[in-house]
Amino acid sequence: MGDSRLIQGRYRLLDLIGRGGMGEVWRARDESLGRHVAVKCLKPLGPNHDHAFTRVLRERFRREARVAAALQHRGITVVHDFGESDGVLYLVMELLDGRNLSQLLEDNKQHPLPVADVMEIAEQVAAALAYCHEQGIVHRDLKPANIVRLRDGTVKICDFGIARLGHDIGFTSRLTGTGIAMGTPHYMSPEQIGGDGVDHRSDLYSFGCVLYEIATGVPPFDLDDAWAVLVGHRDTPPRPPREHRAELPEYLERVVLDLLAKEPAQRPDDARELARRISAHRAAPAYVPAGAATGPAPGGPAGADRLPSWTRGMTTGHKATGTGLRATPADPSAGLSGEWIARPATGPVIEEPAP
């Protein structure tokens, strides 16, 4: 794609913003409305690629457009247009002027973010998640790279490539295959790992992982071995955040640990409740919870023999604040699920194409 490429006689591609395994994102100009936008393009695949896999990728791309376009909230990236030009599927979105949370941690030399910033981000993301869930949509791949903080302080959730529509389970099955877990290892819920039913509470667990990382500088299970990471999520109580960073408020630690409960029923009921709780804490910083949860530091992969078969031979990918395993091969579908940034990947999405 050259700089002068004009899509549908309207969107002029200007600068390449980022590249994923299957596509690219460009800064572009909408010639009709005279504004700058982001254009996400799915690159056409050659004849040597599996046709079924190609079909799944194209369905996922269309799905992202459909899901994101249905959402109207200040905390969710706006989709303006979708179509196909010369065999290339494209998605036109608002151009975000900011940094994702993974980049913010890198900008901060991999140190945690200020507590005030963590709480502000937490409240905004909780409100956006509440809206998504109330529309029957589960994101399923919430991670630092998929949350962007704009220069004006607004926080937005992006990338709905593997989101699930509550009323569209059959379509989801065609995209993922029955029982196939999807997500990024450092941010996956126990039920995602087990291939169990996933609902809005899985997003809450992933959100807890994100808050843990931006508050402490490390993910809950900071391990390079994928097997140990998965077992940690499923079986091991996370190390309390204040053991990493003593100055964190006790109420913030309590919120994070509640989100990281292994059983979905033990997490907050919904993101709306979570948003109200965070707002109340911010308004009353002297709040002290009834008690602080404790648990052993994450250990080795005990009980790993009970992990599902799809985990065998898997690698962790790159967490937001570490180098991870540099030898990890790129997942060919990663371009549809969070790799739209000009930086090293934060972790592949685990999936198997539908047969």
Side-chain angles (χ1 to χ4, degrees):
M1 294 182 185
D3 288 356
S4 62
R5 170 133 188 200
L6 192 65
I7 293 181
Q8 292 295 83
R10 177 172 179 177
Y11 305 109
R12 187 173 300 280
L13 305 185
L14 301 175
D15 306 305
L16 184 64
I17 297 173
R19 178 179 286 111
M22 287 291 131
E24 300 170 335
V25 172
W26 290 75
R27 185 175 68 88
R29 178 178 173 82
D30 181 343
E31 300 288 7
S32 294
L33 297 179
R35 64 181 177 184
H36 286 95
V37 294
V39 177
K40 184 173 181 177
C41 301
L42 177 65
K43 295 184 294 189
L45 302 180
N48 294 330
H49 282 82
D50 180 78
H51 292 297
F53 181 60
T54 301
R55 185 170 60 253
V56 167
L57 288 177
R58 291 173 67 86
E59 273 195 285
R60 279 187 58 190
F61 198 86
R62 290 190 179 95
R63 177 183 190 77
E64 179 179 2
R66 174 186 175 190
V67 171
L71 301 174
Q72 302 293 325
H73 188 276
R74 73 185 299 267
I76 297 169
T77 305
V78 176
V79 169
H80 298 308
D81 195 9
F82 170 75
E84 184 169 356
S85 178
D86 297 329
V88 176
L89 290 175
Y90 66 90
L91 180 65
V92 182
M93 306 169 288
E94 66 174 318
L95 185 62
L96 300 180
D97 182 17
R99 307 280 283 169
N100 67 49
L101 299 189
S102 180
Q103 291 169 322
L104 288 180
L105 285 169
E106 289 188 349
D107 293 345
N108 204 34
K109 302 186 185 302
Q110 301 183 2
H111 295 302
L113 302 183
V115 172
D117 289 356
V118 173
M119 296 305 295
E120 174 66 25
I121 290 167
E123 186 173 8
Q124 291 195 49
V125 174
L129 272 182
Y131 171 80
C132 287
H133 296 162
E134 287 161 4
Q135 309 310 306
I137 292 171
V138 181
H139 190 284
R140 297 204 299 174
D141 194 26
L142 205 62
K143 57 188 176 184
N146 287 344
I147 301 172
V148 177
R149 191 180 196 189
L150 307 185
R151 292 185 185 276
D152 67 3
T154 302
V155 180
K156 288 182 177 279
I157 299 174
C158 58
D159 207 322
F160 287 81
I162 64 171
R164 190 194 73 187
L165 289 161
H167 62 275
D168 200 8
I169 303 303
F171 186 79
T172 301
S173 296
R174 293 200 304 275
L175 293 187
T176 67
T178 303
I180 299 302
M182 300 179 69
T184 305
H186 283 97
Y187 313 101
M188 287 178 71
S189 69
E191 56 268 34
Q192 277 182 299
I193 293 167
D196 300 327
V198 169
D199 62 18
H200 65 281
R201 294 170 297 184
S202 179
D203 279 350
L204 295 182
Y205 184 93
S206 298
F207 183 37
C209 294
V210 171
L211 290 182
Y212 191 109
E213 184 164 356
I214 65 175
T216 68
V218 294
F221 302 100
D222 188 23
L223 306 164
D224 286 334
D225 178 75
W227 198 273
V229 171
L230 295 175
V231 172
H233 282 303
R234 194 195 59 185
D235 296 337
T236 309
R239 183 179 175 188
R242 282 159 54 88
E243 291 187 11
H244 290 284
R245 187 182 180 189
E247 71 268 24
L248 288 177
E250 290 185 17
Y251 68 76
L252 176 55
E253 178 176 83
R254 180 74 264 157
V255 166
V256 171
L257 292 177
D258 285 351
L259 289 170
L260 293 179
K262 303 301 183 188
E263 294 296 328
Q266 295 176 358
R267 298 171 202 153
D269 289 337
D270 54 51
R272 189 68 65 192
E273 174 199 327
L274 176 64
R276 286 193 293 266
R277 182 175 169 186
I278 294 171
S279 179
H281 288 324
R282 295 185 69 207
Y287 168 80
V288 177
T294 59
D305 57 317
R306 299 194 307 275
L307 285 174
S309 61
W310 62 264
T311 64
R312 291 182 176 85
M314 191 188 67
T315 57
T316 63
H318 303 160
K319 55 187 178 292
T321 58
T323 57
L325 301 179
R326 292 297 181 186
T328 303
D331 175 24
S333 66
L336 299 182
S337 48
E339 301 299 331
W340 303 103
I341 46 177
R343 57 177 298 276
T346 58
V349 170
I350 302 169
E351 64 169 304
E352 288 183 16

